Amino acid sequence: MKSVTSRGVGLSYSLITTGIIAAVLIETYAHCVLLYKYEKDWVAVIYLVAGLLVGVLPFTCRNQPVLHASKIYTYFTWAGLLVIFYLLFQDFPSLLAANPLDYKKADMLPIMEVMSGRFMNGQHVYDKIPEIWQGMQPIYLPAMWMPFIISTLLDLDPRWITLSFILMGVLVTMNVWDTKPRPLISMIVLLPVFWIITAFITRDTNFLVHTQEGVVIGYYLIFAYALTRDNPYFVGFAAALCLMSRFSLIFWLLAFGCFLLFSKDYKYLIKAASTCIGTVCILLVATGAIYHLDVFLGLQQTYLNAIRPNNEWKYAGLIDNELGIARFWGYENLKQLHRVFLLVNILTPIAIFGIYILRRRSIGRVLLALCTLKLSLVLFYNLIIIPAGYLFYTSTFFSLAILYYWLIRGNLQAGRSELLTVVFDSKQSPGQ
């Protein structure tokens, strides 16, 4: 990793970058490979520690060099993604054929189909669904099920929507439409992408054939990209999509708003907040979800009621076979873990943003926001009391966004500086 900046920065940057790369690779490998081969207690700890390091290590480097970049590395990146996607598309149709949708195996996608179909037919989306479990109450937020309107309109298998959002998120993260030169080291992101895709088609096939979580992954990767663009309108819109799919963003989002307020970045805050609130209101009103806020607000209690003592048979196996801290708590103590979950998730982003305001340290708003959100996601999913395996992929994928931004950040900043210089010089008279 040859830099064009001072040697003093080069050594620290190289060490920290090596650490970030190692942390992302270990986190992904633990999730996609080790979890299926070794003692799950150790794998859960390795996954947690690696995820925390992904969020912490970038804080330790203040400066970042510009790395040697070339267009040929951009083409190699495209080629690598095409190979990975080709391998995926070879197996995906057969996975769908072998696993037809059945609400008795997994009811998430069948519910999405019903909700999107009702919306298209002008029916009440959130009425109970009599054909699923003799009256299932839909609990999904609008941005979770609305993408499946596309599959309803085109008469497609809804799993194609899930897959499309994952691929879209990866393409956005790696900024594939940008033909500018890239550092060679940025291609390392292809390795964890390959591990995850391989897991989807070999070890964890349930993710693609039974869950809708790919939509959430797509939203969070788009949100990460929005943060790197540092456009408050884009950030607000993407934040609303995340918030209206899963609540895992909520504590970070409130803390980020307070950070902008105390940083006196009022223009950014007003633009982002108004866009976010406006988008949320439109989604709630347009889908009729606004009349069912009691369902969403009651989810926490529903969640806690699910772990009553006579349900241990239902959840004990899931807890023992997946990632997360719940495996180290006795089943009877999971409600105490939930209190820890709330306390840690509320205080962590507030503490990190607060420290940076009080100490007046700066690593840049973009990197600060990305890393703080990564830590929030790690803690949110690892402390959850019913750790369904498919939930953790959002945090794992988010690491790829941080790693890629970290590796090209110096070049992005240099490019923006050059652009500003050109714009400034263009305003000068010919004689100046």
Side-chain angles (χ1 to χ4, degrees):
M1 287 178 288
K2 237 179 177 181
S3 73
V4 296
T5 57
S6 65
R7 276 183 270 173
V9 174
L11 179 61
S12 63
Y13 171 78
S14 296
L15 289 174
I16 293 167
T17 299
T18 301
I20 294 171
I21 292 172
V24 172
L25 294 181
I26 291 170
E27 180 189 34
T28 309
Y29 197 73
H31 190 180
C32 300
V33 180
L34 298 183
L35 182 64
Y36 303 93
K37 291 187 176 183
Y38 297 103
E39 173 60 45
K40 289 181 171 56
D41 286 355
W42 283 107
V43 176
V45 172
I46 291 170
Y47 178 80
L48 171 60
V49 172
L52 292 173
L53 287 174
V54 174
V56 169
L57 285 174
F59 289 145
T60 62
C61 184
R62 297 186 180 182
N63 301 310
Q64 190 158 0
V66 178
L67 303 177
H68 173 69
S70 170
K71 274 195 174 182
I72 194 170
Y73 305 144
T74 301
Y75 304 140
F76 283 157
T77 299
W78 293 348
L81 287 172
L82 285 174
V83 171
I84 293 171
F85 293 167
Y86 173 75
L87 295 174
L88 174 61
F89 281 109
Q90 269 195 317
D91 291 305
F92 188 61
S94 59
L95 280 177
L96 299 186
N99 297 275
L101 287 176
D102 183 354
Y103 77 85
K104 294 179 181 178
K105 293 182 179 179
D107 60 20
M108 294 89 81
L109 287 171
I111 291 174
M112 302 293 161
E113 283 194 307
V114 172
M115 296 179 79
S116 58
R118 285 178 171 179
F119 182 78
M120 293 306 301
N121 293 323
Q123 299 172 329
H124 295 295
V125 175
Y126 284 91
D127 285 350
K128 289 186 177 181
I129 305 174
E131 58 265 42
I132 297 180
W133 305 120
Q134 290 78 51
M136 165 63 72
Q137 171 65 60
I139 61 171
Y140 297 107
L141 291 158
M144 182 73 87
W145 59 264
M146 290 192 76
F148 296 96
I149 293 173
I150 300 172
S151 57
T152 300
L153 282 172
L154 301 179
D155 195 24
L156 289 174
D157 190 308
R159 274 85 62 96
W160 284 105
I161 300 299
T162 303
L163 178 63
S164 297
F165 268 74
I166 294 172
L167 301 186
M168 177 177 62
V170 172
L171 295 175
V172 166
T173 295
M174 302 189 74
N175 206 1
V176 295
W177 55 84
D178 191 344
T179 59
K180 292 177 183 176
R182 306 181 194 195
L184 173 62
I185 191 64
S186 66
M187 290 183 61
I188 193 67
V189 179
L190 292 173
L191 183 55
V193 171
F194 173 75
W195 286 339
I196 295 172
I197 296 301
T198 301
F200 286 164
I201 60 180
T202 57
R203 303 181 189 89
D204 193 10
T205 56
N206 285 335
F207 181 86
L208 287 179
V209 299
H210 290 316
T211 81
Q212 78 291 353
E213 205 65 19
V215 171
V216 181
I217 290 168
Y219 286 150
Y220 273 82
L221 291 180
I222 290 171
F223 182 55
Y225 178 75
L227 287 171
T228 65
R229 298 298 94 184
D230 207 26
N231 182 312
Y233 297 112
F234 192 8
V235 168
F237 176 71
L241 295 179
C242 293
L243 190 60
M244 287 289 96
S245 60
R246 286 212 181 277
F247 285 136
S248 48
L249 186 77
I250 183 64
F251 302 121
W252 177 90
L253 195 59
L254 294 173
F256 185 55
C258 293
F259 167 74
L260 293 173
L261 180 63
F262 285 104
S263 299
K264 299 182 179 180
D265 202 343
Y266 302 128
K267 288 185 178 179
Y268 191 104
L269 174 60
I270 292 171
K271 292 175 182 178
S274 59
T275 304
C276 181
I277 294 170
T279 304
V280 167
C281 290
I282 290 171
L283 290 175
L284 290 176
V285 172
T287 61
I290 195 167
Y291 303 112
H292 299 272
L293 294 180
D294 58 314
V295 173
F296 308 127
L297 296 175
L299 286 178
Q300 179 178 244
Q301 191 56 49
T302 302
Y303 189 57
L304 290 172
N305 291 339
I307 57 167
R308 55 187 181 271
N310 60 340
N311 266 0
E312 184 171 358
W313 65 272
K314 185 176 182 180
Y315 294 111
L318 182 150
I319 292 170
D320 290 339
N321 287 307
E322 300 295 347
L323 298 165
I325 296 299
R327 64 188 312 106
F328 301 111
W329 292 65
Y331 184 85
E332 66 280 1
N333 296 322
L334 287 179
K335 288 189 177 181
Q336 285 81 359
L337 176 59
H338 185 68
R339 296 190 189 100
V340 174
F341 164 88
L342 290 174
L343 187 65
V344 170
N345 278 282
I346 291 171
L347 294 180
T348 297
I350 292 175
I352 298 174
F353 284 128
I355 288 171
Y356 271 80
I357 290 174
L358 292 174
R359 297 184 64 179
R360 298 187 180 279
R361 293 183 60 187
S362 176
I363 63 169
R365 177 173 55 212
V366 171
L367 199 57
L368 176 61
L370 286 171
C371 292
T372 307
L373 180 52
K374 170 60 182 176
L375 291 172
S376 295
L377 290 174
V378 170
L379 294 170
F380 187 96
Y381 290 114
N382 279 276
L383 293 175
I384 205 165
I385 59 177
I386 304 180
Y390 63 87
L391 297 174
F392 289 82
Y393 282 105
T394 299
S395 177
T396 304
F397 268 102
F398 201 81
S399 291
L400 308 187
I402 290 179
L403 175 58
Y404 191 77
Y405 177 70
W406 175 263
L407 295 174
I408 67 170
R409 176 177 168 236
N411 299 69
L412 280 177
Q413 291 174 334
R416 287 170 184 165
S417 297
E418 291 172 5
L419 178 61
L420 288 174
T421 301
V422 170
V423 171
F424 179 78
D425 288 345
S426 68
K427 295 180 179 179
Q428 308 299 319
S429 65
Q432 288 179 307

